Amino acid sequence: MNQNNEHDTNSLPGIAGSRITKIASVMMGIAVIIACYSYAKAGNGFGQIALYALAAFIFVVAAFLMFIVIAAHIAAKNKNNFFLYDKKTKQNIPTEALTFEGVRSRVLEFMSVFKYRGKLYMGDLFSDDRTVPESFKPLFCYEILYELATDDGIRAESFLSFGTECASIFSKYLGQNDDHELAARICGFIYDFSSGNKDVGKFQEYIQSQRDHIKSKMLGYTVENIRKFD
């Protein structure tokens, strides 16, 4: 699990920013060398003036690159992250400070938008509508499973009765977090229920045994994909 988000390859403040900074530093060094060489030459001929102009041009380009990196770094630092933003301090907390409880609280806050008269409809959560970002959907799955594991709102019979469409959803989004074994077991219970096996005792026993696993995977997914929630 990579928790060092300062080196995100998709952002200038990360690896790309480091490379640009190195290039700019080298360019500034070259500009200084050219300027010193030009100064050491006697006279004020056209060649010397051209070298001064070249050194100035390289230096300006290097300075501009440095400005871009600094501006991008400041912008990234000030960007509010859905899970990291602290409403009290008005700043993002370090990724390392994230807890399962904190992640779950924000997920529940997001899911509450889809409640109608106090009831949550799974079809709304997993809709193809672009107002529901794909990055949140694995978290919705884990939250639903956590509620099942703690008997907190969602009942096993209701969950299993959603049928094969529900199985496909959980297989897809748990699979995105490499949680294939949990996905396969859940799908198996759903298929059994759809085939007429209405005894939910084994499912309840299994999902309760996975409570710590669900917490760990939910937090881990959030940390691994934290930049998707900017």
Side-chain angles (χ1 to χ4, degrees):
M1 183 183 299
N2 180 15
Q3 295 188 4
N4 189 357
N5 292 298
E6 292 180 0
H7 298 291
D8 183 357
T9 56
N10 295 321
S11 64
L12 277 174
I15 292 176
S18 298
R19 289 174 178 171
I20 293 174
T21 301
K22 290 177 182 178
I23 292 171
S25 298
V26 171
M27 290 176 67
M28 286 183 174
I30 292 173
V32 171
I33 291 172
I34 293 174
C36 290
Y37 174 76
S38 178
Y39 179 79
K41 292 187 66 177
N44 294 310
F46 176 78
Q48 188 179 34
I49 295 173
L51 287 174
Y52 274 130
L54 177 61
F57 175 76
I58 293 174
F59 189 88
V60 169
V61 171
F64 179 70
L65 291 175
M66 292 289 287
F67 172 78
I68 291 175
V69 172
I70 293 170
H73 180 77
I74 293 173
K77 191 174 182 180
N78 293 334
K79 187 183 295 184
N80 296 337
N81 184 280
F82 184 82
F83 288 104
L84 299 180
Y85 184 68
D86 188 323
K87 295 179 181 178
K88 293 182 179 179
T89 63
K90 308 296 183 183
Q91 293 180 342
N92 289 335
I93 64 171
T95 306
E96 295 78 9
L98 269 182
T99 63
F100 167 76
E101 289 75 19
V103 168
R104 187 183 182 218
S105 174
R106 296 310 309 275
V107 171
L108 286 172
E109 183 179 326
F110 190 101
M111 291 173 71
S112 67
V113 175
F114 300 93
K115 283 187 175 181
Y116 301 97
R117 297 180 181 177
K119 188 173 182 180
L120 183 68
Y121 294 89
M122 281 183 55
D124 294 330
L125 290 176
F126 299 101
S127 168
D128 291 332
D129 190 329
R130 292 183 180 180
T131 58
V132 185
E134 285 290 303
S135 55
F136 280 90
K137 293 179 181 179
L139 294 174
F140 296 158
C141 290
Y142 283 116
E143 172 53 32
I144 290 169
L145 294 178
Y146 185 76
E147 290 190 25
L148 286 164
T150 56
D151 196 24
D152 185 16
I154 299 177
R155 302 299 177 185
E157 294 89 347
S158 299
F159 174 76
L160 294 174
S161 65
F162 282 114
T164 56
E165 184 178 357
C166 178
S168 298
I169 288 171
F170 276 73
S171 179
K172 175 182 178 180
Y173 291 112
L174 295 184
Q176 288 183 4
N177 197 33
D178 295 324
D179 209 349
H180 302 292
E181 182 177 349
L182 179 62
R185 291 296 301 273
I186 289 171
C187 289
F189 283 116
I190 292 173
Y191 292 138
D192 285 347
F193 190 86
S194 299
S195 299
N197 183 2
K198 304 302 181 181
D199 182 6
V200 300
K202 289 185 178 179
F203 172 72
Q204 290 176 316
E205 182 180 342
Y206 171 74
I207 205 66
Q208 287 168 5
S209 73
Q210 297 298 304
R211 179 177 174 178
D212 289 341
H213 172 82
I214 293 167
K215 291 173 63 175
S216 175
K217 295 294 283 187
M218 187 172 180
L219 177 59
Y221 172 84
T222 306
V223 171
E224 286 255 336
N225 297 277
I226 195 64
R227 294 279 69 90
K228 294 181 179 180
F229 303 105
D230 283 337

